[in-house]
Amino acid sequence: MKGLCRDERWEDAGALIAEMVRKDCPPDEVTFNTVISYLCHRGLVDCAMEVVEQMPKYGCKPDNFTNSALVNAFSEHRCVDDALELLRTIPWKPNTVCYRSVLKGLCRADRWEDVGKLVAEMIRNQMNLDEVTFGLIIDCLCQKGLVDYGAEVLGEMTKFGCSPDIIMYNSLINGFSENGSVDDALELFKNLSCKRNVVTYNYMLKGLCRAERWEDAGKLVAEMVKDECLLNEVTFSTLISYLCQKGFVECAIEVFEKMPKYNCMPNVIIYSTLINGLSEQECVDDALKLLNDMPCKADTICYSAALKGLCRAERREDAGFLESATEVCELMLKYEYMPNVFIYSSLINGFAEQNRAEDTLKLLRNMQCEPDTICYSAALKGLCRAK
DNA sequence: CTAGGGTTAG
């Protein structure tokens, strides 16, 4: 059942339940809760509710698992007030997980007063306020820029027998570097009361990269290796994307080339980032080489990044880059990738600037997608320039 | 056997 749900094969899941009934092996709460929780995760809240209504027919009653899934889905996919209302209609004392799902919705909606009230209610009901609950609140505060409050909650929670753990520290480090100063983040990073993990390092790295503190970033990675903390794909993605963004594409390439040494495989997004970076730095040949040597399948964004470089080069040097651009387009079609409107408009514009009205028109007429205004304008430009 | 706090990117 779990497998079918994970693959979103809802009809098969329904058929399986029917089969269970037929074979005298009736579905139980666990069966239903599995289906319900997956439906909820996919945002199919109405379907989930329908399944809940089917439960009594099979002698099953919704329990804490059912309700926490629904409350969570209401919080995420609907209005958090629906979640709150559902919490109130549960005919028994809902457990911490159910409460926490509502808290999550309230935190995300920035309804801190209501968060406080609900926490007070939990305390009144002598419910277990655990690390997970505090971790959730701290992270939301940090994400909303209320890092100081996050730090305050971290201090207060010891009253409830909770001690700070690495997940909370990670949220705070990220919060400080995004919404405060990266030095505050570093300060905390250096004085943690528990062992750092790869997420800690990656957050810290992101902060340093954003601040363009490349030397510190380099030192951090060295420290990571020394600490025997394995660099992962996030580490590399972070470095590569920030280096490209800030115009240091050569460094990004160096980092990229080190990936295999750390058992990390670059994915299509990393490739498109690099191709785009090379195109923007007017290294179109390198961009094309990277595109051609990709071990994974290139997607539209990779192609359009390369085309961007080609079209720029064309404008600059009056060379035969548009021919390569057309070739790239053909390559795309060969691999059954649809060039998108952006690609077409770049190409049409490229031909127009070369006064090649015929090619411009031909391209416009043979487009594999709906031309937009920019395509038409570019074609018009070609026609006008050719007289 | 089911639920729950933290990473990256075009």
Side-chain angles (χ1 to χ4, degrees):
Chain A
M1 185 64 72
K2 198 170 167 179
L4 290 174
C5 290
R6 199 163 30 213
D7 292 343
E8 297 190 68
R9 292 168 55 176
W10 310 119
E11 276 184 29
D12 293 329
L16 197 63
I17 290 184
E19 186 182 325
M20 289 171 81
V21 175
R22 219 171 39 241
K23 298 224 167 138
D24 215 26
C25 166
D28 62 2
E29 272 85 0
V30 177
T31 320
F32 282 109
N33 287 338
T34 304
V35 178
I36 291 162
S37 78
Y38 274 97
L39 282 167
C40 284
H41 272 294
R42 307 287 176 180
L44 304 168
V45 193
D46 291 325
C47 298
M49 306 252 285
E50 277 171 32
V51 177
V52 175
E53 279 165 26
Q54 299 298 312
M55 291 176 77
K57 265 208 313 220
Y58 300 90
C60 296
K61 279 202 297 276
D63 57 13
N64 271 331
F65 285 88
T66 325
N67 280 301
S68 72
L70 285 176
V71 167
N72 214 12
F74 283 180
S75 269
E76 288 203 346
H77 302 284
R78 291 189 179 185
C79 175
V80 62
D81 287 307
D82 291 346
L84 203 53
E85 202 184 311
L86 179 60
L87 186 79
R88 298 296 176 223
T89 60
I90 297 176
W92 60 88
K93 192 174 121 186
N95 67 6
T96 308
V97 183
C98 292
Y99 267 91
R100 187 162 51 226
S101 295
V102 182
L103 277 177
K104 181 158 78 178
L106 290 172
C107 287
R108 298 218 168 133
D110 255 323
R111 286 168 54 174
W112 302 109
E113 227 184 284
D114 292 326
V115 171
K117 279 186 202 160
L118 208 61
V119 170
E121 181 180 320
M122 290 173 78
I123 296 168
R124 244 190 349 265
N125 289 342
Q126 293 179 317
M127 301 186 62
N128 184 29
L129 284 168
D130 55 8
E131 270 89 357
V132 180
T133 307
F134 284 115
L136 161 77
I137 296 171
I138 291 170
D139 186 61
C140 283
L141 283 166
C142 288
Q143 281 192 35
K144 300 285 188 182
L146 305 166
V147 202
D148 293 330
Y149 286 111
E152 213 171 285
V153 172
L154 187 99
E156 292 285 313
M157 71 184 187
T158 50
K159 287 184 199 155
F160 300 91
C162 293
S163 48
D165 63 26
I166 193 60
I167 295 186
M168 302 167 190
Y169 283 132
N170 289 345
S171 296
L172 282 168
I173 287 170
N174 186 42
F176 279 126
S177 66
E178 297 249 313
N179 304 308
S181 82
V182 70
D183 285 307
D184 290 340
L186 264 176
E187 185 65 25
L188 178 60
F189 177 83
K190 285 177 184 154
N191 296 303
L192 295 184
S193 61
C194 56
K195 194 171 159 45
R196 304 161 182 166
N197 62 19
V198 66
V199 181
T200 323
Y201 277 104
N202 287 342
Y203 269 137
M204 197 60 246
L205 187 64
K206 182 172 109 182
L208 291 170
C209 288
R210 260 171 40 117
E212 297 189 68
R213 305 247 301 247
W214 305 116
E215 223 173 282
D216 291 327
K219 278 187 205 155
L220 189 77
V221 174
E223 205 176 330
M224 224 171 147
V225 175
K226 211 177 81 194
D227 199 12
E228 293 183 331
C229 174
L230 290 179
L231 282 61
N232 64 14
E233 272 162 25
V234 180
T235 319
F236 285 101
S237 294
T238 304
L239 279 168
I240 292 171
S241 70
Y242 278 98
L243 284 167
C244 284
Q245 206 184 100
K246 309 283 187 186
F248 302 105
V249 70
E250 318 79 20
C251 300
I253 295 282
E254 277 174 36
V255 171
F256 160 78
E257 284 170 347
K258 291 202 176 104
M259 292 184 70
K261 209 174 106 188
Y262 294 90
N263 258 325
C264 291
M265 286 296 292
N267 59 21
V268 69
I269 299 181
I270 293 193
Y271 274 101
S272 66
T273 307
L274 285 167
I275 294 170
N276 184 59
L278 288 166
S279 287
E280 297 212 318
Q281 297 301 308
E282 318 214 320
C283 305
V284 69
D285 291 324
D286 296 325
L288 284 179
K289 188 164 170 2
L290 203 58
L291 180 72
N292 282 319
D293 295 345
M294 278 180 67
C296 53
K297 207 174 165 195
D299 66 5
T300 312
I301 301 177
C302 293
Y303 287 110
S304 56
L307 282 165
K308 177 158 111 186
L310 287 165
C311 291
R312 280 189 182 202
E314 179 72 25
R315 228 164 291 155
R316 202 174 62 245
E317 291 167 18
D318 203 34
F321 281 110
L322 268 181
E323 264 55 45
S324 330
T326 315
E327 274 168 37
V328 174
C329 246
E330 277 162 12
L331 201 67
M332 285 182 73
L333 288 172
K334 191 174 118 196
Y335 292 115
E336 295 178 334
Y337 265 119
M338 207 66 99
N340 59 22
V341 180
F342 169 74
I343 291 176
Y344 279 110
S345 60
S346 312
L347 277 175
I348 294 173
N349 189 54
F351 280 126
E353 302 222 326
Q354 295 286 301
N355 303 331
R356 288 161 65 175
E358 281 310 310
D359 292 320
T360 307
L361 265 186
K362 197 172 134 198
L363 206 54
L364 183 74
R365 293 302 171 214
N366 291 325
M367 278 181 67
Q368 304 287 320
C369 55
E370 272 309 299
D372 63 0
T373 310
I374 302 176
C375 292
Y376 283 113
S377 311
L380 270 175
K381 179 160 101 182
L383 290 172
C384 294
R385 287 174 66 134
K387 286 162 299 182

